[in-house]
Amino acid sequence: MSEHHANPALAHHFEDADQQFEASTLGMWTFLVTEIMFFGGLFLGYIVYRSLYPVAFAEASNLLDYRLGAINTAILICSSLTMVLAVRAAQLSHRRSLIVYLLLTIVLGSVFLGNKVVEYSHKFHEHLVPGPNFRPAAALTDPHHSQLFFSFYFGMTGLHALHMIIGIGILLALVFQARQGRFSADYFTPVDIAGLYWHFVDIVWIFLFPLLYLMSRA
């Protein structure tokens, strides 16, 4: 009996499961490299403008709620742990544990997004959204370039949140497939590469948090 008949998850154009796993992992890493280049450009732009307008960026940064940012950082670190446990459960064919850890990761990711909604709503009520209604209560030395800081803040954290939403959608699909018994010690590639994506999104936040919330408080 060929391996394709023994393993229904093995696509016809791969010779064996190992080759399929390596190709899938390579594809995800290639995608992540493009994401690194994308976010890297945003980080570079932020650093350049921060060096040009250090006072305006520092004053604007002090208007962010670093406590909420720290809580979200802890939440994402915990979600990385549950994602690792989900991958391990898939490798050991522990279906129930896999579903539980995936759901925990989804819950933690959702709490993170809920906190971002709260934080964004505060910024709207405090008139800290760039545009004609930018009227912060605090006296700013250079309001024009403080708006530039908030443009980076909403742009970078918004794109990060979009990646989180996509990640949660992927995890929901994995939960559905796991309930159908699609994953086992012989086939857990989708869980593994989804874990790579989730860890990448977490790492992006690990850089965003000190850059946006903490650098001016050092």
Side-chain angles (χ1 to χ4, degrees):
M1 179 183 294
S2 70
E3 187 168 349
H4 286 85
H5 288 91
N7 185 0
L10 180 61
H12 67 88
H13 47 283
F14 293 112
E15 293 182 357
D16 52 44
D18 289 340
Q19 187 184 60
Q20 179 171 278
F21 177 79
E22 291 172 2
S24 300
T25 303
L26 177 62
M28 176 51 75
W29 276 112
T30 303
F31 169 72
L32 292 182
V33 167
T34 65
E35 289 285 281
I36 290 170
M37 294 170 66
F38 174 69
F39 277 101
L42 292 173
F43 280 115
L44 180 61
Y46 174 86
I47 291 170
V48 168
Y49 280 103
R50 187 183 182 96
S51 65
L52 291 174
Y53 311 108
V55 175
F57 272 52
E59 289 179 345
S61 174
N62 285 333
L63 298 177
L64 297 181
D65 187 346
Y66 73 92
R67 297 177 187 83
L68 202 52
I71 291 170
N72 264 349
T73 302
I75 289 171
L76 278 195
I77 290 173
C78 291
S79 77
S80 269
L81 174 61
T82 55
M83 192 66 226
V84 168
L85 294 172
V87 173
R88 186 57 179 163
Q91 292 171 339
L92 297 175
S93 301
H94 293 169
R95 187 172 68 170
R96 183 183 296 273
S97 297
L98 169 60
I99 294 172
V100 168
Y101 288 128
L102 286 175
L103 288 174
L104 283 174
T105 307
I106 291 169
V107 169
L108 290 167
S110 299
V111 172
F112 175 93
L113 291 174
N115 284 338
K116 287 309 297 178
V117 170
V118 170
E119 193 174 0
Y120 282 175
S121 68
H122 289 169
K123 298 297 168 286
F124 274 92
H125 285 101
E126 294 167 359
H127 299 285
L128 293 175
V129 179
N133 291 322
F134 186 79
R135 299 191 301 273
L140 299 176
T141 306
D142 184 358
H144 178 70
H145 290 113
S146 291
Q147 285 193 73
L148 186 58
F149 170 87
F150 281 103
S151 297
F152 275 107
Y153 165 77
F154 281 108
M156 297 170 82
T157 58
L159 286 169
H160 177 263
L162 176 61
H163 282 72
M164 292 282 299
I165 292 170
I166 293 171
I168 288 174
I170 293 171
L171 297 185
L172 285 172
L174 292 180
V175 170
F176 178 75
Q177 292 178 322
R179 285 172 57 87
Q180 295 180 324
R182 288 285 306 277
F183 307 121
S184 67
D186 294 327
Y187 180 66
F188 54 86
T189 302
V191 181
D192 194 76
I193 61 176
L196 285 176
Y197 175 85
W198 192 263
H199 296 317
F200 168 78
V201 175
D202 288 358
I203 290 172
V204 170
W205 178 259
I206 295 299
F207 282 96
L208 282 176
F209 174 57
L211 204 62
L212 293 173
Y213 292 77
L214 299 182
M215 283 187 68
S216 62
R217 304 173 195 273

